[in-house]
Amino acid sequence: MDRFENPYRPGAGSAPPALVGRDDLIGDFEITMRRALDRRPGKSCVLLGLRGVGKTVLLNRFSRIAEQQGVKVGFIEASEGRGFPELLAVRLRRILLDLEQGAARRALSAVRRALSVLASFTHTFADGSSVAVSLEPLAGQADSGVFSEDLTDLLVAVGEAADTCESGLLLAIDELQYLTDEELAAVVGATHRSVQLDLPVVVAGAGLPQVPALLGNARTYAERLFQFPEIGRLDEDDAAAAIVLPAVDLGVEIEEAAVRRIIEESGSYPYFLQEWSYHAWNAAPASPITDDDARSAKASVVDKLDRDFFRVRYDRLTPKESEYLRAMAELGPGPHRSGDIAEVLGVQVTSVAPRRSALIAKGMIYSPSHGDTAFTVPLFDEFIKRAAH
């Protein structure tokens, strides 16, 4: 098969050639954005799921939908060690400057006021950094040094500016679990105020399954402001469609046995489906792609996933953290009771609690229920067993 024509796209946040099984979520978001533009904002959305289920792909789709509706989008990928306030300020600066370029005279004052509020906001950065804004700070707005209050001032000002320009604002935040408690509380509080004022502002987030608990700890009313749809593996029909449709569009057939094998090996997780389909295509000499082709692709798929998906996460761990995950892997896919993991390690539960907390903070594991622990990366137990040999 021609590798250049290969339609599959394994990669972090890469949109698959056939985005299946997510139509309801996409439709719901489109309505949410339209209602916000009509000054009837409702619940914003936080997508939850393990690594590789397509949260970032959906967040990007939401962003395109918003842009098609004339909404300004600020997309932020949170990460460990990167300052969220600075990233936010950079995105909102670009949005406001864009609004300023096309603003009618009556809207220009609202945009410039928002730029002045942004100037005030940047002066409160703890590390002394700033974002270039040509206007003077607006005294008494976003300059208190209390992040939750200042972010509320800023988001309201930007929302008002977008509204006067007959636009709206989508703030899309990926990897929400990396925000600090203070930052999460500020995002929730600012969102709450924008809803109270009926501003055309929507926040769409994505993160690991522990995010609702983090948001709830930050602000008790978070569950009333956000919907938390869980994004998981595809059902068998949608998984088959994700495999077959891109090939059919290019006049290539895939035997049913090959489809079943790819679904079984990938666990129906969207990222793994793309990886398996990509390598099965490359392994096939011609159409149709057979079960033998899919089987022969296994070595290259496992090698690719180990190097580019699993290993990059595993190598971030301390020796003690790796030991904890190996104990989990010995017990299987999970979830597992904390006491069972400690028993495998031959220690008391309390002695490994700091390790568990550190692994949760790094996004490697989460607690689906009290006392339980599970991997945030699908099939990670199988990788650890391979890595141990």
Side-chain angles (χ1 to χ4, degrees), residues 228-249:
F228 296 100
E230 295 185 6
I231 315 301
R233 66 179 80 195
L234 298 175
D235 65 32
E236 190 167 331
D237 289 342
D238 287 333
I243 298 166
V244 172
L245 291 179
V248 169
D249 285 345

Side-chain angles (χ1 to χ4, degrees), residues 140-378:
Q141 289 289 311
D143 60 0
S144 70
V146 179
F147 185 59
S148 60
E149 296 296 323
D150 294 342
L151 180 57
T152 296
D153 287 346
L154 178 59
L155 197 63
V156 167
V158 176
E160 290 173 340
D163 185 42
T164 60
C165 294
E166 299 183 350
S167 181
L169 171 67
L170 171 65
L171 187 59
I173 309 173
D174 202 5
E175 304 286 5
L176 269 172
Q177 69 278 353
Y178 290 132
L179 267 60
T180 66
D181 291 344
E182 180 187 24
E183 290 164 352
L184 287 170
V187 169
V188 176
T191 304
H192 190 205
R193 186 58 181 154
S194 70
V195 170
Q196 290 176 330
L197 296 174
D198 290 334
L199 293 174
V201 174
V202 173
V203 175
L208 296 175
Q210 63 262 38
V211 166
L214 296 174
L215 286 170
N217 291 336
R219 298 279 188 178
T220 56
Y221 54 80
E223 64 181 21
R224 286 175 278 156
L225 280 178
F226 296 95
Q227 296 176 333
F228 296 100
E230 295 185 6
I231 315 301
R233 66 179 80 195
L234 298 175
D235 65 32
E236 190 167 331
D237 289 342
D238 287 333
I243 298 166
V244 172
L245 291 179
V248 169
D249 285 345
L250 295 176
V252 174
E253 296 182 5
I254 304 181
E255 291 183 353
E256 184 177 344
V259 173
R260 287 199 305 269
R261 181 175 297 278
I262 292 172
I263 290 173
E264 181 179 354
E265 293 281 4
S266 67
S268 289
Y269 288 103
Y271 175 77
F272 297 155
L273 283 169
Q274 292 297 306
E275 198 74 74
W276 269 94
S277 300
Y278 179 86
H279 286 275
W281 174 287
N282 288 345
S287 178
I289 299 173
T290 67
D291 185 40
D292 286 341
D293 297 328
R295 184 188 298 110
S296 67
K298 182 168 185 174
S300 58
V301 173
V302 170
D303 179 66
K304 180 71 171 176
L305 288 173
D306 283 0
R307 286 187 292 108
D308 296 349
F309 189 75
F310 296 121
R311 176 63 66 180
V312 293
R313 292 172 170 82
Y314 194 67
D315 285 349
R316 297 170 54 228
L317 307 178
T318 67
K320 287 294 186 181
E321 291 167 351
S322 298
E323 182 184 56
Y324 190 92
L325 294 190
R326 286 196 297 272
M328 286 181 62
E330 285 186 35
L331 294 169
H336 306 296
R337 300 296 296 171
S338 297
D340 294 337
I341 300 169
E343 185 177 345
V344 172
L345 291 168
V347 297
Q348 295 294 316
V349 173
T350 53
S351 69
V352 291
R355 265 188 271 179
R356 181 175 183 269
S357 297
L359 287 165
I360 290 174
K362 289 184 176 182
M364 297 300 299
I365 60 176
Y366 73 105
S367 179
S369 59
H370 182 70
D372 283 343
T373 305
F375 293 109
T376 60
V377 182

